[in-house]
Amino acid sequence: MITIKSPREIETMAAAGRIVAETLALVGRNIRPDITTEELDRLAEEFIRSHPGALPSFKGLYDFPATLCTSINQEIVHGIPSKKRVLHDGDILSVDVGVRFEGLHADSAATFPVGDIKPEVARLLDVTQEALAAGVAQARAGNHVGDIGHAVQKVAEGAGYSIVRELVGHGIGTAFHEEPQVPNYGKPKRGPRLVAGMTIAIEPMINLGGSAIRTLDDKWTVVTEDGSMSAHFEHTVAIGETGDPPRILTSVNGSADA
């Protein structure tokens, strides 16, 4: 069942989203060659918990052991932070983080370069951000979930990349994962209709190579089957009244801009 949030609930989610955005910015400033993903996870958890009433959404969710998902290079999502995972020059790191604040969640992700990365990988990151912006722009009352997926798909496949189809965005609120599912592909005017008060996480996961994926033996980390690089960007978005632009809740100022 799709839940509609009150204005007060959306403001609470925006407060959670600001902490999410600040956490991602903090992690991004500390990403460098030779740092471990465990160090980044510790920084993030301490920062989130420094805000009264805020808790990491991921820690303990489905028994996930950490605050961040840290996915390196060919890892798409759900990488587990570890003192054994050391970043190197030329890597990319996808960081996914959620915050629960006063009973409501917000969720965001970004992929960061580690030192100097190859031009073709930098383009993958740019295009994935463009795909997210295109999807967010369709998150308006009267549109459908398919409009979001179609916009993401058009940007990604138009640039020659492949979409991860098995993993999707989602509704979010009092539960971290709510209806509806928000695929990164689709046809316009298909799927659930978007109405004011809906809150959804839009999260393109785009591969430099093929679309096939597999899950590692840790039962969490999802990787590209062909070993190609993958990028992941995400925002939590609130659907406004008819004619209003979407509101990105996981930005520092809660603006309508990606």
Side-chain angles (χ1 to χ4, degrees), residues 42-60:
R42 185 168 59 251
L43 275 174
E45 181 168 1
E46 289 173 355
F47 180 75
I48 291 168
R49 292 185 184 276
S50 74
H51 296 77
L55 295 169
S57 294
F58 293 175
K59 199 161 192 179

Side-chain angles (χ1 to χ4, degrees), residues 20-21 24 58 95-98 106-110 233-236 250:
V20 168
L24 271 180
F58 293 175
V95 179
D96 195 352
V97 61
D107 182 21
S108 186
F233 286 88
E234 175 182 21
H235 273 308
T236 296
T250 44

Side-chain angles (χ1 to χ4, degrees), residues 19 28 32 39 46 72 192 210 230 233:
I19 300 171
R32 62 182 186 276
E39 290 174 88
E46 289 173 355
I72 304 171
S230 184
F233 286 88

Side-chain angles (χ1 to χ4, degrees), residues 71-79 163-167 205 207 210-228 230:
S71 307
I72 304 171
N73 294 338
Q74 78 277 8
E75 298 171 357
I76 302 166
V77 287
H78 305 159
I163 297 283
V164 175
R165 291 178 173 246
E166 294 91 335
L167 303 168
M205 290 156 275
N207 299 343
S211 62
I213 65 173
R214 63 187 176 90
T215 303
L216 299 184
D217 290 342
D218 64 13
K219 307 300 184 187
W220 280 107
T221 309
V222 181
V223 302
T224 58
E225 184 69 57
D226 60 10
S228 63
S230 184

Side-chain angles (χ1 to χ4, degrees), residues 31-47:
I31 289 174
R32 62 182 186 276
D34 298 326
I35 197 169
T36 70
T37 53
E38 182 186 62
E39 290 174 88
L40 297 173
D41 188 72
R42 185 168 59 251
L43 275 174
E45 181 168 1
E46 289 173 355
F47 180 75

